[in-house]
Amino acid sequence: MSDKLRFTLSPQFLFFYTIIVLLVPNVTLSITEGMPLAAAVANVLLPACLYTLLMSLSGKTGRQVWILFPLVFFAAFQMVLIYLYGSGVIGVGMFLNLVTTNPDEALELLDNLVPALVIVFVLYLPLLFIAGMQWARHTRLEATRRRSWRRAALLGLAASAVYTAALYVAYPKGEEKKGRFEYRVEDDMYPFNVFYNLGLAVRESYNSAHYQERVAHFKFGAVATHPADSAEVYVLVVGETARSRNFQLYGYKRPTNPLLSREQGLIVYTGVRTQSNTTHRSVPMLLTAATADDHDRLYHEKGILAAFGEAGFHTAFFSNQLPNHSYIDFLGEEAHDVRFIKKGKSAKLFYDVELLPYVKSELARGYRKLFIVLHMYGSHFNYRDRYARSRALFLPDTPTEAEPANRPQLLNAYDNTIVETDYILARLIDMLRSEHCAAALLYTSDHGENIFDDKRKLFLHASPKPSEYDTDVPLLLWTSPAYDRQNPAIVGNLRRNRHKGVESNASVFPTMLSMAGIKTKARVDSLSLTNPAYRLGVRYYLNDHNHGVPLSAWGIK
């Protein structure tokens, strides 16, 4: 055996190799998060001492590495996220995504993250391989070395703990409002912040799992004010990953809305922002009275489908996303008719056009009062798999790997998904128009998307730090001629409010109820787009710890 190989297989090498690769996220985050030098030193020094202490607890170094596998996994996960978003620690939302994302979607994403996976494999697979070999060979670290390194680690921990405590004085809580950095271990020191977020994710999962028990006896006390014999149909379409800047209706240079741009009764709302850049947070707010600054309502109240049902409407929920035992599922299941059209199918080709027959069938049943919610797959990555090959307008739309060099092709594919959405919405409007009754359709998206748009090279969405791209969403509203005749004041207000700016998650619930003439104490009329006195207030964003924070904190208007 060569001296070089003997050194590589030595427990001393593995000891320090482990500490170094575990510290890679600490060093990287100290740079990407823009923290002061004093905080960056703490972010590296204290974890380095901790990792040294943990590795010195056993002479069986190879086994110890595998015992610390959660730390290795989080380090690899963290580096993938930094590749995707450029910054941000593993957040609560990321952990929830792990348990709510369907396997096909996850594999689809991994297939297109080759550079990030190569980095992870180079850093962490050799570590686990060498550790496995040393474990199998029963290789041990000398006890005297371990004791020496353990003493050094304990002294370092004590000193760095005092140093870290001093940062709480130097950067106190509350100063962030004055534009200053505030220091908190649970926010700023990896991996402590990761484990803190994991705990919050477990608590959120528990709340979600017990949601139906908590709201079992909840009632909106909803009352219908429109004539009982009037025929009404309302459709709420929840899009996925669609940003308004790629809609022709919003001034985009490409013809991505060839059908809707000719629709006379369409109201296009400008200056619309979502209150979350994640599906599992945004959609529940769209379907309930909960908002970023009043989020706890989600845990104790039912959703918009239940409210319409109480008011005498037949309700339906049709989703092109797979069920994942989340709030979205539970809120959808409050409808009379529920279909997850991809349930039980293994496919990555989620075509939203497949929702149309379900709507047509529901309309054909002749309900006097009908409310339908559609949950689309929309423009979710991989964009290329959201529309049929024959319907691709912008080419080439490959390759699809998540690399800045592929932005032109990724943008072509993304724009094709917007064209597909345009077609589906136009078909829905045609269906409603043919009903010859008071009807309305409201469309918005859960969040937007980053597509390597600027020098930050951000991609996808769901980063703990929102951007102007992944919070940018459209909001479109169509009303039928019959609805216009019966509700001229409401339609007039809807049109007058179209350029005042909207927080979609706050306004959809009260707007839909108001349009349908449904009264309930849960309806906050100041947020409704039907209100003649409607004004956009402070824009809020639901941060990773479920706190409503002004969106301006991230420099977003």
Side-chain angles (χ1 to χ4, degrees):
M1 182 183 296
S2 67
D3 291 340
K4 187 175 182 180
L5 181 58
R6 187 178 293 107
F7 175 72
T8 301
L9 295 178
S10 71
Q12 296 96 318
F13 170 81
L14 182 60
F15 187 97
F16 289 106
Y17 179 25
T18 304
I19 295 169
I20 290 171
V21 296
L22 289 180
L23 282 174
V24 169
N26 295 81
V27 175
T28 305
L29 287 167
S30 295
I31 298 170
T32 62
E33 303 311 292
M35 61 181 63
L37 179 60
V41 170
N43 193 34
V44 175
L45 183 60
L46 195 150
C49 295
L50 175 64
Y51 298 149
T52 302
L53 177 63
L54 292 174
M55 286 299 296
S56 68
L57 293 178
S58 173
K60 298 178 180 179
T61 313
R63 186 185 67 178
Q64 191 68 4
V65 170
W66 279 97
I67 290 174
L68 299 179
F69 178 78
L71 288 174
V72 178
F73 172 79
F74 288 148
F77 189 7
Q78 181 63 68
M79 295 309 297
V80 171
L81 294 184
I82 290 176
Y83 174 85
L84 273 176
Y85 303 123
S87 63
V89 74
I90 304 171
V92 177
M94 296 299 172
F95 285 116
L96 294 176
N97 282 340
L98 287 177
V99 296
T100 59
T101 299
N102 71 73
D104 289 325
E105 182 180 322
L107 291 174
E108 189 175 46
L109 177 59
L110 291 176
D111 285 344
N112 293 277
L113 289 178
V114 175
L117 295 179
V118 168
I119 293 172
V120 167
F121 290 157
V122 169
L123 280 175
Y124 300 104
L125 278 188
L127 171 68
L128 296 174
F129 177 74
I130 295 172
M133 287 184 61
Q134 290 199 17
W135 191 359
R137 290 169 176 252
H138 303 287
T139 306
R140 297 183 65 90
L141 184 64
E142 296 176 9
T144 54
R145 290 180 185 270
R146 285 197 299 116
R147 285 195 294 269
S148 175
W149 293 339
R150 189 185 308 143
R151 284 195 297 269
L154 288 170
L155 288 173
L157 271 176
S160 55
V162 172
Y163 177 82
T164 301
L167 294 177
Y168 278 68
V169 178
Y171 304 103
K173 189 173 179 60
E175 292 297 318
E176 63 176 352
K177 295 181 180 179
K178 301 178 183 178
R180 290 187 57 195
F181 174 79
E182 74 169 47
Y183 187 82
R184 286 294 179 272
V185 167
E186 65 268 26
D187 293 329
D188 301 301
M189 184 178 286
Y190 178 92
F192 298 99
N193 45 15
V194 172
F195 284 99
Y196 178 76
N197 290 339
L198 177 60
L200 294 179
V202 171
R203 186 178 69 182
E204 185 69 12
S205 295
Y206 177 86
N207 287 336
S208 174
H210 293 81
Y211 166 78
Q212 291 170 308
E213 298 171 22
R214 289 196 303 273
V215 303
H217 302 293
F218 176 83
K219 295 291 183 183
F220 280 103
V223 177
T225 62
H226 290 176
D229 60 348
S230 65
E232 299 175 83
V233 180
Y234 300 94
V235 178
L236 171 59
V237 184
V238 178
E240 171 72 54
T241 320
R243 60 188 200 179
S244 70
R245 65 189 65 221
N246 287 70
F247 278 63
Q248 179 185 353
L249 293 167
Y250 285 86
Y252 189 48
K253 63 181 182 298
R254 283 180 154 182
T256 54
N257 300 123
L259 300 177
L260 292 179
S261 61
R262 300 198 298 266
E263 194 60 60
Q264 295 296 317
L266 194 68
I267 305 174
V268 179
Y269 289 86
T270 59
V272 185
R273 292 282 181 189
T274 179
Q275 293 187 326
S276 174
N277 62 3
T278 64
T279 298
H280 70 265
R281 283 196 178 98
S282 180
V283 175
M285 287 192 290
L286 288 171
L287 299 181
T288 66
T291 61
D293 56 321
D294 192 13
H295 187 256
D296 285 351
R297 297 182 69 164
L298 175 64
Y299 306 130
H300 309 291
E301 297 182 5
K302 291 184 179 180
I304 194 169
L305 285 156
F308 269 83
E310 281 188 32
F313 280 76
H314 185 85
T315 58
F317 178 80
F318 302 133
S319 176
N320 194 30
Q321 302 211 14
L322 291 172
N324 51 32
H325 201 65
S326 67
Y327 285 113
I328 300 174
D329 296 2
F330 303 148
L331 292 166
E333 289 165 357
E334 291 172 0
H336 296 111
D337 295 332
V338 182
R339 287 296 300 270
F340 291 87
I341 69 173
K342 283 293 191 297
K343 186 176 182 179
K345 301 177 182 178
S346 179
K348 66 176 184 178
L349 301 177
F350 287 76
Y351 296 156
D352 287 324
V353 71
E354 295 175 14
L355 288 166
L356 295 176
Y358 292 89
V359 177
K360 184 177 181 180
S361 175
E362 200 73 9
L363 292 171
R365 295 183 180 183
Y367 296 110
R368 199 71 181 168
K369 310 276 188 181
L370 178 62
F371 177 55
I372 302 174
V373 174
L374 302 179
H375 190 194
M376 302 174 71
Y377 214 79
S379 302
H380 199 288
F381 188 78
N382 186 356
Y383 318 131
R384 182 73 168 76
D385 294 330
R386 305 297 162 245
Y387 51 89
R389 305 286 81 88
S390 60
R391 297 179 61 79
L393 181 60
F394 305 107
L395 297 170
D397 55 2
T398 57
T400 62
E401 286 78 18
E403 299 178 19
N406 294 337
R407 185 177 189 273
Q409 294 90 336
L410 290 168
L411 197 59
N412 283 341
Y414 184 83
D415 287 346
N416 285 335
T417 68
I418 304 301
V419 175
E420 186 74 358
T421 296
D422 178 80
Y423 172 77
I424 292 165
L425 295 178
R427 286 283 306 276
L428 288 169
I429 289 173
D430 286 342
M431 289 183 191
L432 294 178
R433 185 185 288 113
S434 66
E435 292 296 303
H436 302 292
C437 69
L441 178 145
L442 189 153
Y443 165 81
T444 191
S445 182
D446 55 357
H447 51 73
E449 184 82 318
N450 299 291
I451 316 176
F452 302 116
D453 299 285
D454 55 34
K455 64 182 180 181
R456 294 172 295 178
K457 297 181 180 179
L458 304 177
F459 190 58
L460 301 181
H461 54 271
S463 168
K465 295 184 178 180
S467 75
E468 61 268 40
Y469 304 102
D470 61 21
T471 56
D472 167 31
V473 294
L475 196 153
L476 311 175
L477 183 61
W478 176 87
T479 54
S480 69
Y483 187 92
D484 295 348
R485 289 192 301 270
Q486 296 174 24
N487 305 279
I490 286 180
V491 175
N493 293 335
L494 288 169
R495 294 189 176 280
R496 281 187 288 273
N497 290 331
R498 68 187 185 277
H499 297 310
K500 293 183 179 179
V502 183
E503 283 191 294
S504 57
N505 305 93
S507 290
V508 165
F509 183 88
T511 298
M512 292 297 296
L513 290 177
S514 178
M515 290 183 66
I518 299 174
K519 286 189 174 182
T520 168
K521 291 181 179 179
R523 198 180 89 187
V524 181
D525 287 341
S526 62
L527 301 173
S528 174
L529 297 173
T530 65
N531 187 345
Y534 170 81
R535 291 291 184 276
L536 176 66
V538 176
R539 290 190 188 272
Y540 285 97
Y541 177 81
L542 190 68
N543 72 9
D544 196 52
H545 295 168
N546 283 346
H547 300 147
V549 178
L551 194 56
S552 58
W554 285 274
I556 302 171
K557 296 181 179 179

